Amino acid sequence: MHRITLIFILFLLIPDIYIYFVYIVQKTQSKWLRCAYGLPTLLLTAGYVYFMFLTGDNAMSNHTQAIGRLAIAIMLFVFPKTVFMLCSLTGVLAHCVIRRCPRSPFTVIGLVLGAVSFFNILYGTFAGITRFEVKETEFHSADIPEGFDGYRIVQLSDIHIGSWQGNPEAIKLLVEMVNAQNPDLIVFTGDLVNQQSHEIDGFQDILSQLHAPDGVYSILGNHDYGTYYRWKSRKAEIANLDYLIRQQKAMGWKLLNNEHDILYHKGDSIALIGVENDGEPPFSQFADLSHAMEGTEGMFQILLSHNPTHWRREVLPASGIPLMLAGHTHAMQGILFGHSLAELIYPEWRGMYHEGNRALYVNIGIGYVGLPFRFGAWPEITVLTLRK
């Protein structure tokens, strides 16, 4: 937490200090105007300190909406100022190297790009988070049974239902869009909640309306275990997970916890395998792939595993599973010009990846954590068609 606080202060203060001394001091002699310039930064810092240090151990869980709004307010101030500062600094350096190079064009460019980033953040906050996008993709394999040629699977991931409190209409729209795809099967690849399983209360009836002839299957993601919440006892933590499991069953979802089910279609069958979360440290590792696969030898297999890093760590070297579906990355909730900060952490962070005749598909999720924002990484409904 102290490291995050230090980074926060640096990002908030450095652009402010630069702009204050290079522009504000030069443009006005009024002490009131100079003080007014620093007032937003002071208020944002006070809000951060209040929520992070003065509201108890579970601030993110107890004040999700308020902290999300604060985070957006900080982004609206920090990012445009940072963009402007970088452009201005470029102008200063260019002027030092080439004396005839004017600085004013860099200032204008900084103002324009700063304004663009400001409005992009607003769009990502108010429109981007509900801009549900249907992505069609196909997986081709000679091993797919004839009866499953053309079989349609809708994949959802990372709903993070706690972030949708007060906005059930968005989840209703999601359900309608999924059902409109007429899938044969719906799968959910983990992170139904943020921190507590009771976040799902009030949404069960909506999510239970997801429908496919072969059912709705799910697995657990790292957030579903409640490990980001400070529980009063181990018993309370276990009860939290048990409640989530029971609610999924009540919604008609079939949770695959290191187990599998056999799907039948047009006289043929395939194995749908689901494992518990298996992430790179510090994320939890509860998967038992060998146990989940028992009894599926010789069948075409599809694996549901929340974290895409599981694919290279275990699935590729220790199994022959031809297709794995994952989520988790969110594409860091931002994609610009085809790239995302997620690339710095995850070799496979969105879409389809192939290794020989085997593949991994990474869904970038529906919801968000902490920051109510998505830009470029629009909430994804994947429609995957099997092709022989």
Side-chain angles (χ1 to χ4, degrees):
M1 179 60 71
H2 295 298
R3 186 179 301 174
I4 294 173
T5 300
L6 178 61
I7 294 172
F8 163 76
I9 292 173
L10 289 175
F11 272 96
L12 196 61
L13 292 183
I14 290 176
D16 258 356
I17 293 171
Y18 175 84
I19 294 171
Y20 179 80
F21 284 106
V22 175
Y23 293 95
I24 304 300
V25 169
Q26 303 298 323
K27 298 295 182 182
T28 179
Q29 298 298 318
S30 171
K31 292 182 179 179
W32 290 108
L33 289 177
R34 290 181 179 183
C35 290
Y37 174 76
L39 185 59
T41 298
L42 181 63
L43 293 174
L44 292 172
T45 302
Y48 177 86
V49 170
Y50 171 74
F51 283 114
M52 293 296 102
F53 297 99
L54 302 176
T55 55
D57 291 334
N58 294 301
M60 285 298 296
S61 179
N62 298 329
H63 305 283
T64 302
Q65 303 298 326
I67 291 176
R69 294 188 189 102
L70 175 65
I72 290 298
I74 291 171
M75 282 181 65
L76 286 170
F77 276 88
V78 171
F79 276 80
K81 287 181 180 180
T82 301
V83 169
F84 175 79
M85 178 187 72
L86 293 174
C87 291
S88 176
L89 275 172
T90 302
V92 171
L93 293 172
H95 181 73
C96 291
V97 175
I98 308 172
R99 284 294 176 181
R100 293 184 179 181
C101 181
R103 286 177 288 182
S104 56
F106 294 92
T107 301
V108 173
I109 291 171
L111 287 170
V112 171
L113 293 181
V116 169
S117 67
F118 181 87
F119 287 107
N120 281 350
I121 293 168
L122 285 180
Y123 182 85
T125 301
F126 293 102
I129 59 173
T130 54
R131 184 175 161 176
F132 300 123
E133 185 174 79
V134 177
K135 291 184 179 179
E136 299 262 0
T137 188
E138 295 183 348
F139 177 69
H140 295 255
S141 172
D143 296 326
I144 294 172
E146 290 284 354
F148 283 83
D149 185 25
Y151 191 80
R152 289 167 61 83
I153 302 170
V154 162
Q155 180 194 3
L156 299 176
S157 196
D158 300 82
I159 291 177
H160 291 285
I161 203 71
S163 300
W164 298 99
Q165 299 298 322
N167 191 11
E169 294 304 318
I171 302 303
K172 288 180 181 178
L173 174 61
L174 169 67
V175 170
E176 290 173 2
M177 290 182 67
V178 170
N179 289 339
Q181 307 309 311
N182 297 313
D184 296 296
L185 173 73
I186 298 172
V187 298
F188 176 72
T189 47
D191 277 2
L192 182 55
V193 300
N194 289 340
Q195 298 193 20
Q196 300 183 81
S197 58
H198 280 278
E199 295 168 11
I200 200 172
D201 292 346
F203 290 92
Q204 294 97 323
D205 288 344
I206 301 173
L207 292 172
S208 66
Q209 293 172 26
L210 286 169
H211 176 72
D214 290 337
V216 181
Y217 286 81
S218 64
I219 56 171
L220 297 175
N222 52 296
H223 280 264
D224 295 322
Y225 296 92
T227 49
Y228 302 106
Y229 190 87
R230 294 193 179 182
W231 301 98
K232 293 181 179 180
S233 66
R234 174 61 178 160
K235 182 179 180 181
E237 185 175 357
I238 293 172
N240 173 74
L241 180 57
D242 180 65
Y243 183 77
L244 182 63
I245 292 172
R246 286 189 284 112
Q247 290 307 303
Q248 290 199 36
K249 184 177 180 179
M251 293 189 308
W253 295 17
K254 183 165 184 180
L255 183 65
L256 297 176
N257 266 353
N258 296 325
E259 54 192 316
H260 69 266
D261 207 357
I262 306 300
L263 305 177
Y264 299 92
H265 191 71
K266 296 181 179 180
D268 280 314
S269 61
I270 63 174
L272 182 66
I273 303 166
V275 293
E276 294 193 57
N277 188 65
D278 196 293
E280 75 287 3
F283 296 111
S284 54
Q285 295 182 325
F286 299 125
D288 188 342
L289 182 59
S290 59
H291 175 74
M293 292 173 57
E294 287 180 8
T296 67
E297 296 81 1
M299 303 183 70
F300 181 82
Q301 303 158 317
I302 298 175
L303 173 67
L304 309 180
S305 183
H306 179 67
N307 193 308
T309 65
H310 188 209
W311 191 51
R312 292 199 181 275
R313 281 187 290 105
E314 183 182 20
V315 178
L316 285 178
S319 79
I321 293 173
L323 177 62
M324 171 175 150
L325 307 180
H328 183 63
T329 70
H330 297 211
M332 292 292 189
Q333 294 169 212
I335 298 175
L336 195 61
F337 304 118
H339 295 282
S340 166
L341 291 174
E343 295 176 58
L344 302 176
I345 303 173
Y346 301 101
E348 293 84 24
W349 58 278
R350 71 154 177 176
M352 188 75 80
Y353 298 87
H354 292 273
E355 194 71 41
N357 60 356
R358 304 167 70 184
L360 162 71
Y361 190 89
V362 183
N363 176 296
I364 61 174
I366 290 295
Y368 52 90
V369 176
L371 196 65
F373 170 86
R374 275 183 178 264
F375 189 87
W378 314 123
E380 178 179 353
I381 299 168
T382 306
V383 181
L384 187 151
T385 304
L386 302 180
R387 296 293 184 189
K388 185 172 179 63

